[in-house]
Amino acid sequence: QTLACYSRTTVPRPFATMISMIMVLNQKGDIMISRQYRDDVSRAEADSFRLQVIAAKETGTQAPVKRIENCSFLYTRHLNMYFVALTRSNVNPALVFEYLFQKIRILKAYLGEDFDENSMRNNMTLIYELMDETMDFGYPQNCAVDVLRLYINLGNIRPQDEPEPSQLTSQITGAIDWRREGIRYKKNEVYIDVLESVNLLLSSTGQILRNEVTGQVQMNTKLTGMPECKFGLNDKLVIEKESSNMRKPGVEIDDCTFHRCVRLGKFDADRTITFIPPDGEFELMRYRVNDNINLPFRIIPAVQEEQGNTRVSINLKVIANFSDKLFATHVVIKVPVPKNTAKAKIKNSFGRAKYEPEQQAIIWRVKRFPGKAECMLSADVDLMPTTRAKAWSRPPINVEFQVPMFTASGVHVRFLRVYDKSGYHTNRWVRYITKAGSYQIRI
């Protein structure tokens, strides 16, 4: 988020990231491309990285940060290539890794999703240009693909598409580099998806050990010009400010992270989400909710191991807590059984359930689960005798589902206002989807 907002006029802070060198190595440890931004490291350091990291096969088993002879190596992989940042200063590791990820994303945009060693070698000039534009004297600069394409274009851009020099300068150094001017649409539309993932861990006695919802707001904007948008959720703090007589209480929304187009100063001041949106699809924000969660499914298990360890009896009751006007899709309930299971006799009220030995579980699949419905599953599991009696560890029941037009947190979109000087009408479409994250019930 921070990277693409840097400009050529950025004055580095005393403890800002200072990267001395960026290099790309192949799986043998040979340097394919390197760019030195400061003179406190040399290519000789690359040999120590090759010997102590690549040859020692540390990648994937150790942390992607290695300190060798007072030089820090921060690296990530793409296919069989290593993207490595070298520094001798006390850097912010998160920012360095973000730069490396952005670098890979930029190369994917220019060379293709699966760019390899050959495509890198065939485009050396382009890659060195990108290295010079995205970093200056060790400080990350503009990493916005749309802006880089305006002036690093492989010679494919048509003359009529070339921007005016003044417009190009404002986009490179300006604050709004994620949206170009002059966009036109016959129909102005905004599609909003609120996607939530429910995480639950329930003890065998029914006590809630973990319960949270993580959500994200995805948008697809097809808007003319440079509109300013104001977006509102039923945030408890905002609703309490606006009205003391609340009919419906708001939701306590925590850990909000935003796309870089959002004006964070406005949000910090009065919790309003104001932004000039990118064109097309993007993720506006992420959030987390811990309180007052409406669990989509209530599952009541009863598992009994009979004496002699020859049989296990399983009874399961599943209740849908959402409205009867809604339904869940792709419901999969995985009920674990002992490893020495011979066969299972299963009865269920609807859907399909069968014992799958490779998963050591009874898998119950329901394509369409109506709201407020209750269903039962009972199974008599016969066990094979074993030479060594070993207690069954009783893994938890795992549940997968998807519930359209429902949010477990209670979050909903209150409004989306689009302001543009031409005053055009905008169509808005909102969709809600809740799915299972880690939804487990111990037995």
Side-chain angles (χ1 to χ4, degrees), residues 375-387:
C375 64
M376 299 286 296
L377 177 141
S378 62
D380 292 323
V381 180
D382 293 330
L383 306 180
M384 291 184 289
T386 57
T387 53

Side-chain angles (χ1 to χ4, degrees), residues 298-315:
R298 185 182 172 206
I299 296 175
I300 306 169
V303 179
Q304 187 174 1
E305 296 180 64
E306 296 186 7
Q307 290 183 351
N309 294 325
T310 58
R311 179 175 285 191
V312 174
S313 175
I314 299 173
N315 289 288

Side-chain angles (χ1 to χ4, degrees), residues 173-273:
T173 60
I176 307 170
D177 59 5
W178 55 85
R179 185 182 181 91
R180 62 182 176 84
E181 294 184 6
I183 297 173
R184 294 284 180 269
Y185 284 101
K186 289 183 179 179
K187 273 188 176 182
N188 293 285
E189 298 177 314
V190 179
Y191 298 88
I192 304 169
D193 285 345
V194 180
L195 311 175
E196 290 196 341
S197 183
V198 189
N199 300 305
L200 171 72
L201 180 58
L202 212 62
S203 74
S204 56
T205 58
Q207 182 183 357
I208 293 175
L209 304 176
R210 181 192 178 205
N211 190 16
E212 68 171 15
V213 171
T214 56
Q216 57 188 104
V217 178
Q218 298 273 5
M219 297 186 76
N220 187 357
T221 60
K222 299 180 179 180
L223 299 172
T224 299
M226 297 286 282
E228 182 169 291
C229 298
K230 193 172 181 181
F231 181 74
L233 298 171
N234 56 331
D235 187 348
K236 186 176 181 180
L237 292 176
V238 175
I239 291 176
E240 285 177 352
K241 274 185 184 179
E242 291 179 355
S243 175
S244 56
N245 300 321
M246 295 181 296
R247 291 184 180 178
K248 291 185 178 180
V251 177
E252 288 189 30
I253 301 174
D254 301 319
D255 293 347
C256 294
T257 57
F258 296 99
H259 188 276
R260 57 197 173 90
C261 67
V262 175
R263 294 177 180 169
L264 297 180
K266 289 280 289 177
F267 182 78
D268 290 339
D270 53 15
R271 302 280 290 192
T272 58
I273 302 171

Side-chain angles (χ1 to χ4, degrees), residues 302-305 310-316 333-346 353-364 377-384 390-398 443:
V303 179
Q304 187 174 1
E305 296 180 64
T310 58
R311 179 175 285 191
V312 174
S313 175
I314 299 173
N315 289 288
L316 198 67
I333 302 171
K334 184 179 177 181
V335 185
V337 295
K339 291 182 179 180
N340 60 326
T341 297
K343 62 178 181 178
K345 187 179 179 183
I346 306 167
K354 68 173 183 176
Y355 166 57
E356 297 187 6
E358 64 276 7
Q359 299 200 45
Q360 297 176 7
I362 294 169
I363 309 298
W364 185 11
L377 177 141
S378 62
D380 292 323
V381 180
D382 293 330
L383 306 180
M384 291 184 289
K390 189 177 179 181
W392 180 32
S393 61
R394 292 197 175 204
I397 295 170
N398 279 280
I443 56 178

